[in-house]
Each structure stands twice: as structure tokens, then as C-alpha cells.
Amino acid sequence: MELALNQPTPLFKRLSWFDWLFAAIVVASGLFALTRFGDFMDIYEKGILLAAIPSLALFGWFWKPFRALFIVTGAVSLFAISQYQGELARMETAFFLKYLISSQAAIMWMCALFLLATLTYWAGVLSRSEFTLKTAAAMTWSAVALGFIGLMVRWYESYLIGADVGHIPVSNLYEVFVLFCLFTAMLYLYYEARYQTRQMGAFVLLVISAAVGFILWYALDRGAHEIQPLVPALKSWWMKLHVPANFIGYGAFSLSAMLGVGYLLVQRGILASRLPRLEVIDDIMYKSIAIGFAFFTIATILGAMWAAEAWGGYWSWDPKETWALIVWLNYAAWLHIRLVKGLRGPMLAWWAVVGLMVTTFAFLGVNMFLSGLHSYGTL
Amino acid sequence: MNQAPHTFGKSVFELMSSMRFAISLLSILAVASIIGTVLKQAEPYNNYLIQLGPFWFQVYEKLGLYDVYHTAWFLVILTFLVASTSVCIIRNAPNFAREMKSFREHISEQSLNAFKHQHEASTTHAPEALAASAQRYLEGQGYKVRNLPRDGGVLLAAKAGSWNRMGYFLAHSAIVMICIGGLMDGNLVFKAQQLLGTKKIETRDIPQSQVPAISRLSPSNLSFRGSVQIPEGSSASVVFLNVADGYLVQDLPFSVALKQFRIEHYTTGQPKNFESDIELFDRSGKKIREATIAVNHPLIHDGIAIYQASFADGGTRLDLRGWSLFAPTAASFPIKGTIHQGASLTSTAGDYTLEFIDFRPFNIENMGGEIAPAGNTMSVLGGSPVSDKKHLRNVGPSFQYKLRDSRGQALEFSNYMLPLELDGRWYMMSGVRESPNEAFRYMRMPLDADGNIDSFMRLRGALLSQELRPEIAARFARQALPQTAWGSEIEDKLKFSATQMLTLFAKGGFQSLGQFLEENLPAAEREKSAGTYLRILELAAFEALQIVNQQAGLPAPKSDDATGWLVRDTLNSMSDMFVYGAPIYLQLLQYDEVKATGLQLTRSPGKNVVYFGSFLLTLGVFFMLFVRERRVWLRIKPGSALLAMSAAKHTIDFEQEFARHAQALDTLAK
Ligand code: HEM
């Protein structure tokens, strides 16, 4: 009789051959990177790379679609790199690079696909067509893949510009906005599969589209897509940890805010029949804020440690730092509200929406309106 | 515990530890933090005064808005947070601890029946048998299980995810720990001493050696964060702490000497790295250690961290050549100068004081190479991330100085050492401006064939000199006319107008020429005659060049383009000369650069406390957010089994899990 029960089998028994293949590929590519590019890394960066290997493998085992994403991204990126034959100029001449997978081309395709996906999600919601929604999800996936390819290739390109110029593409607003789109989209795709509800994509993709809009304006109008060498303060391995951690946080918070919007609409009976149940929205909202809060906590701590090394103090009340604290406190408050009977529901949804404004100011407004150490005034 | 009578203390305790209070605190702290990001903190008080005006300046000062995060009221909020969190822990500690251990095995059957999540299954199995299999199942699901005999059956009490509670302790005590660590590194001690009047801020601008003891902090001071500038070849044994509108002098247990400061540049000219070779000496002057620090690579010496923070000029020595711009001869005189110092200057052009402000060994200037238009088709396809920096060039050293006349009026100048190429010709550039917030206006002086401004200076002198004027005019007239017309009154006419032009020009350059035309010619004729006059002036100037070359014992100037441009440019820059604002131009011949490094020194004993707290916080947050606490009870009696389930937080996962267990029970009970 017990055989009828779905007893949880231990992890290793649950892994398929593909899981193992994936793990093998991760290890291989990790070691490849280490041997091929090791000369460009200091001891810490090598450490980060080695730590990344098991983390990525586990992550792929935990979230299966990541395996395909990783393999595709890696393969295409390597192909792109091979196309360069060590010459930047081929960006304008080589067909694939010029139109598809040079960093800029890939990122522009990412932007296009995100915008397209947004429209498609809305079409799917309004026409109640599961197929359309599936298409939208597929577009989002492709956008994510192209985004990562774009970043990988950009990373390589930066080294082609000059060995001393080369750096991981998480160093300026343009690059981190791409990162933001990718993380937000991935978080969403995870929950979409987990809860089998595709409708919320219509809302989540809105915030991504906004970011895409910014990227396009920033690149075409301000030429922000140009790879600039790092200012001395940014030349540190901390950047590889601090920035991505931050943007997982920002991404998760934005996700929750868009769910908040959905919640408030459904609660008012708008699109109610087309969107998920309130409980589901609320649940995802909580989960994404939980993830966001956890990573933002880590990011802020890493930031403090970095500051202690670069600026001579782990906390300087510099505007960027302070706004990070404000964001953090805001979501700490949110989590507490959720634990108080009678304060839940719409109140939380509103708070999450307001939270997005606070967050947006923290990572955009501060750079635009407030000066401080993060604008590298001193050096 | 809540049964105790509500005394005042009790209700304070209740309030402080209440969740709503926590929420308000977190929100208030967030809002309070905003203030200091809107108003730039720790600026010189004058800036605030200008920005706010006298009244609001006072108000803001009273509120401590210039250093919000160290004001009493901000600390009070923090203290409340710490207190509230601690009280909250104290309050929850006992029952949370109990919760973690307990299996709630004394729960009654009625209350189980009252559970929202409960499911009854009829069974044919003997209670013990079912209990055994159910226990195995639950343990497989990650539960800890107690198997307790109850009348006529069994009670299984199971729990999972108790670490969630542990997370609560970790995270919240971490908050307390971090705040305490932060306070340890704050300036509380000084604040206290200031209140007691044993320490006070120094506001005068005096050499640090003269700063009295009351504004000095001893080397044993527990925590500080100060900065100091050290020129190459000298050393410092103190750092300065900016406080409010003044500063404090922090004596160091050692002295720091700067051997060399280096800036590395990328090929594009942006700075790539800042490095200082420093040496540490103890009080007795014995060398302790030697190190190179750079941004992101500080040196830590017995608890004091030394950081590369900034850089400046450390008193570069300049070897200058002064030109009096209005002297009728190419007269120059030597001057020596040192950055951050002054010099008095007595010249034919009058008495001035010089203040040398700054020296820059590199100047990356935008030499106006056309920049690819943004938004072209290529960049719609993505464009190239490779920035086109070809128009940026390093145009070499420059130095800035103020020239103050006897009336105390000062102008600021910025002169390049090397000539710049503009529209294909080379010039010496000297910029001038009235106030720091303006851009420099540049006077450009043409170079001659062998790359000097001497020809310009000679020609300039000749065109200003009255003695030479008749000769120039005469030569001009002769050149202009055929032999046959020499001596005729046409020649006199030409002489006259040439002299007239030269005199006018010597008064105020083209401006006064223009003025003359305005006043003496009807609008219709101006255009035409302006052309003629200009031509006359240029030809006359060419003759002047002949003369000065002769005097200088140089070959006669060739009548080619180069000479033509030299003459034209000379006339132009002479016109600029009249609005240049100073009768003297300083040309930089040689320099001996002395750099200074800006170091920041900190001692922060709280750092490790904060880091440890941060570590606990991370752990705690993860436990709290990602470990779900659940309890399951299974009351088995002959014929029936009652499943009940509870959790601290009701998420959808919980609902699904309950459904799973219910189904499992049915299967087992069959
Ligand atoms: C910066 C300050 C604080 C931070 C970052 C913080 C963080 C958190 C987090 C992340 C949770 C978990 C929420 C969840 O499980 O969804 C939590 C729970 C909680 N916090 Fe705080 N908290 C802070 C201050 C306080 C204060 C001041 C109090 C009390 C007055 C408090 C009382 C609680 C309680 C009772 C819980 C519920 C624990 C549980 O049931 O598992 N917290 N806190």
C-alpha cells in the first residue's frame, strides 16, 4: 500500500541524464573559462568563477528550463566570439555579428522581443487564448537568451577594445538595465511555470518594456551603449557580486509591484475573469518580495564591504547607500505588515506598488538627481 | 504571560514589542533617511548660506540638517529601533523557544476538530499499524514525529521547519548588533566631550601645528575617519576630521610619508589607477613599513586602515617667461612660481600679485573631431559599443593662476604649455575668466616658422610702437606704388591713411577700426572701404614684419601663405589682447611637478561587529523567509484517523501540502 505514495526520493535519484549532461557542460565551460581567461582574473575572481560552477549546476537542477537557457546562451556566445577572429572591426562586416549577435545587435533584438512579448501577452489575456500566451512566453524566453548572449559578447568585446579596458558588463546604467530586464523576466517565467498562470505576464512585461524604452533612449540618444573603461573605484571583484545581487532584488521588487497592480484591478473586478485568483497573485507577490528582500539584504551587505575597501568606510550615508537602506526598510515593513492580521490584502498591494517607485528612485533617480560617492566625484 | 495586570511599564513593553510599532519605526526611519539625501551633507557652511539665505540657514542648522545622520533626533529613532527590536526578542524568546522544541502533543481532540485544515479518513487497519506507516510517510516528508499512545489509539504529533523561529532570533538580534557596531564607529564620544566642553571644533584656517589641544584628538581615540593631503617627499602625522563648519585634528600613532604618487591612464586618457608609495614611521622616526596603496587596495596597520582617496598638486615648481603685451618691443622677463603660493610682480605694465592655483600635467581636450551622429541606421541595428574617442587628445600641461592688480581686482588665467593646432595652424593659448563658474575665453597667439611666439611678439611690438609708425607707413606706400608715383601726393595720401589705420589699431584693435568706420562713413560705403582699410593694415603689418626681422638680424619674411597667416593671426590676437584683461602673458617654459596624494585614514572597531551581525542577518532572513514552519497531528482510533495541520504562514504551498497529506492518509488508511 505504501508503494502507492509519492515518497520524495533523494535528490540524486531524481536527476535525469540531461541533468548530468548539463552539470558536465557547466563544469566544462567553467574550467574552460578558467584556463582560457584565467590570466585576466585575480584570485578572488577565480574563486567567484569556481563557486559559480556548482551554484549554476544546482540552479539548473532546481529550475529545469535554466539548463537549456545556459547551453543555448553559452553555445551562441562562443559562436559569436569565434566570428570575431579577434578583430572588433568584424562587428560591421561579419553577417551574424552585424545583424544578430554582436552585443548591440543581440541587445536590440532582446528589446524588440520584449516589446513584442508585451503586446502578445495582452492579446492573449484579452482574447483568452492560451496559445497566444504560450507564444508570448516563448518570445520572453528568446528575449532572455538574446539578452544574455548580448552581455556575454559585450564582455568579450570590451577585452577586444583593450586588455585593460575589458570588464564584466555590469558597470554602467545601460548594462545594468539589460540585467534588470533579464532578471525580472526570469523570475516571472519561473512563477509562470510554477503556478501555471500566464496572464500576469501582461503586467510584468509592462515594467520590462519601460526599462527597454529607457535602454533604447539611453543608447540611441545618449550613446550610453559605448563601452567605457572603468573608473578606478569600480575596478574590483566586488562588483561581480554586488551588482547582480542588487538587480535580482530590484527585479523581484518590480515583479511584485506589477502583481500588486494586478491584485488591485482584480479586487475591483477589472479583468477579474481574465486574471488569476487573488490568493494566487498575493502568494506570488509575497514570494517575489521574499526573494527580493533576501538578495537585497545580501547586496547591501556586499556593498558595505566593498565601500569599506574602496572608500574607507562600510557606511558613508552616501545617497545611493541611503536609498538602498530606504528600499530595504520599506520591504522589511512590508513583510511585517503581512504578519499583522487585518493589514493584509489591498494594503499590501498598494505598498508593493509604492515600493516600486521607491526602488526606481533608488536605482535611477539617485543617479540622475543626487550626487555622491557613487558618481565618483572624488576620483 | 499576558495575564499580569497592566502597569505602565507593562503597556510600554507591549507597545514597543508590538508589530505595528515596528512597522511605524521602520517607516519613520526610512522617511527620516531621505532628508540627508536631498540636501547635500557636510558641505562648507558658506554654500548652505548662499543656497538657503540667512534665515533658513539658521533654521536648518538648528535642525542639524547639514549632518542629519549624526543628529540627536536621528540617533533617537535608531535607539528606538534597537530598543523595540530587543524588547520584541525578549518578549517572543520564551514562547518561540518553546515552540521550537514542543510537538504540542497535549492538544485536545476538540481543538483538532476545530482546525481549518483537517481531514478524517475511515480505516480498517489497527491504529498502531497505521501510525507506523503514517510516521514513516511523515518522516519521509521531512517531519519530526512523536508517536504517543492515547486512550484507544495513537496520536502522531509532527513538526517541520522549526528553523524558521531560529531565523527570527538570528535576524532580529543581528539588527541590534549592527546598530551597536555602527554606534561604536560613530562620533558619540566626541559629541559627549563637546557637550562637556572638553573638546571643541576648530574653525580657523591655521597650520595644524598651531591647533590647540582642545581641538585635537589623541592617538588612543577609539574610532575616527579623517583625511589628509601629503605632497611627494613630505609626511603627515595627523588627519583632519570635518565636523560641522570646522574640523578636528586627529593625532596618529605613526606618521605617513609619501614617496611617490602615480596616475595611470587608459589610451583614451581617462584615469585608470591611482597609486601612492607610502612609508610609515613610528613616533621616534623609525621606519615601520613600506607599502603601495591604490583605490580598492588599502593598507591596514595596527587597526588603522589607510586608503587612497584623492589627489592634488603638491606644489609644482614653474619656470615662467613673462611678456608685457603692450610694450612697444618684444620685452620678456623671467619668473619663478610654485603652485599654492604667490609671487609679487613689478613690471613696466604695473604692479601685480600672482597666485598660482593649480597645475595639470595632462589635459584631455575635445578637439572637435566630428562625432558619429547618434541614431543613425547602424545604431538602430545596435550600433557599435566601441566609443569613437579620436577627437579627444592630450594637449599637454597647463597651469592656472590669478593675477591681482593693485586695486585687488583679480582675473583667473589658464595657460597651456604647448601650442594647440586649430584649423590647421598652431597657436599658444591663454584662457581668462572673471569667476570660477564661467568658461575660459581664449587668446590665441600664432607661432612663427620655427615654432615660437617671438615673431608674434616682435610684430605686435612694432605695430604698437609710435616711433616705427612713420617708417612702416612710408615703406608701405612705396611698396604699394610704382616707382613713377613715388613722391606724388598719392603717396602722401597712402602714408596718411596707413598711419591712421595703425594708430587706430594700436588703440583698440579691430574694434576701434570698426568704430572709426561707423563714425566717419555712410553705411553704404562701409562694406567696401572696410575691405580696403583691412588690406592696407595687413600690408602695413607685413612691412612692419620686414622691419622687425631686419632689427633682429633675421632673413626677410617670405611673401607666402605662412607669412600671410602670421600677419593676419597677429592682427586678430592683438585685437583679443585689448579684451584679454591683463597686460602680461605668462609662458610656461619648464616645470618640476610635485604631486600630492589624498589619503583617508580610519579606525573602526565596530566594523567586525557589523560584519558578524550582517552574517547573522543573512542567515536569519533566509531561515525566516524560506523555511516554512508546519505542524501535523494524526489522531488514530480504531476505525478512523483524523489529520489536522497548521502553519505560521498560510501560503498556497501549505494548502497543496495539506491536500497531499490528506490524500496520503486515505491511501494509507485503505
Ligand atoms: C530593521 C529591522 C527589522 C528587520 C529587517 C526585520 C525583518 C524581519 C523579517 C524579514 C521577518 C520575516 C517576515 C516573514 O516571515 O514574512 C520578520 C518577522 C518578524 N519581525 Fe522583524 N524585522 C525588523 C524589526 C522588527 C522589530 C522592531 C520587531 C518587533 C517590534 C520585529 C518583529 C518581528 C516579528 C514578531 C516577526 C515574526 C516572526 C515569525 O513569526 O516568524 N521585527 N522580521
Side-chain angles (χ1 to χ4, degrees), chain B residues 299-352:
Chain B
L299 166 72
I300 296 172
H301 181 71
D302 64 26
I304 297 181
I306 307 174
Y307 301 87
Q308 180 67 61
S310 65
F311 65 92
D313 188 280
T316 297
R317 285 177 291 280
L318 306 173
D319 198 343
L320 302 161
R321 182 175 182 190
W323 296 90
S324 342
L325 293 174
F326 294 102
T329 57
S332 75
F333 49 92
I335 310 179
K336 296 222 173 297
T338 309
I339 301 300
H340 304 314
Q341 290 181 19
S344 68
L345 187 158
T346 45
S347 76
T348 53
D351 296 357
Y352 291 88

Side-chain angles (χ1 to χ4, degrees), chain A residues 2 104 227 230 287 311 314, chain B residues 136 185 266 382 385 600 653:
Chain A
E2 276 162 52
Q104 271 316 95
I227 296 175
L230 290 178
K287 287 223 171 68
W311 301 333
Y314 52 85
Chain B
R136 236 173 286 118
D185 291 342
Y266 294 105
Q600 185 170 89
D653 314 294

Side-chain angles (χ1 to χ4, degrees), chain A residues 286 293 328-329 332 335-336 338-339, chain B residues 15-19 21-23 25-26 29 80-81 84-89 92 96 164-165 168 171-172 175 617 621 624-625 629 648-649:
Chain A
Y286 170 64
F293 188 78
W328 187 74
L329 290 170
L335 288 167
H336 286 86
R338 203 165 188 283
L339 297 167
Chain B
L15 172 68
M16 291 279 281
S17 61
S18 80
M19 197 69 123
F21 190 73
I23 295 163
L25 267 179
L26 296 175
L29 185 59
F80 261 102
L81 184 72
S84 163
T85 318
S86 330
V87 173
C88 177
I89 296 169
N92 291 319
F96 277 19
N164 175 289
R165 299 290 183 194
Y168 166 79
H172 292 80
I175 301 297
L617 178 65
V621 166
M624 273 197 294
L625 294 177
E629 184 191 36
K649 301 191 199 72

Side-chain angles (χ1 to χ4, degrees), chain A residues 317, chain B residues 32-37 39-43 45 48 52 55-75 187 191 194 243-245:
Chain A
W317 293 104
Chain B
S33 308
I34 295 178
I35 300 169
T37 69
L39 183 69
K40 222 160 170 302
Q41 297 288 288
E43 292 267 289
Y45 273 29
Y48 293 120
L52 302 166
F55 174 71
W56 287 111
F57 172 79
Q58 295 244 329
V59 177
Y60 279 43
E61 190 180 13
K62 287 272 169 298
L63 294 171
L65 296 191
Y66 308 138
D67 191 7
V68 172
Y69 307 109
H70 297 104
T71 52
W73 60 267
F74 193 83
L75 286 180
N187 59 356
K191 276 248 151 69
Q194 204 179 11
V243 193
D245 58 342

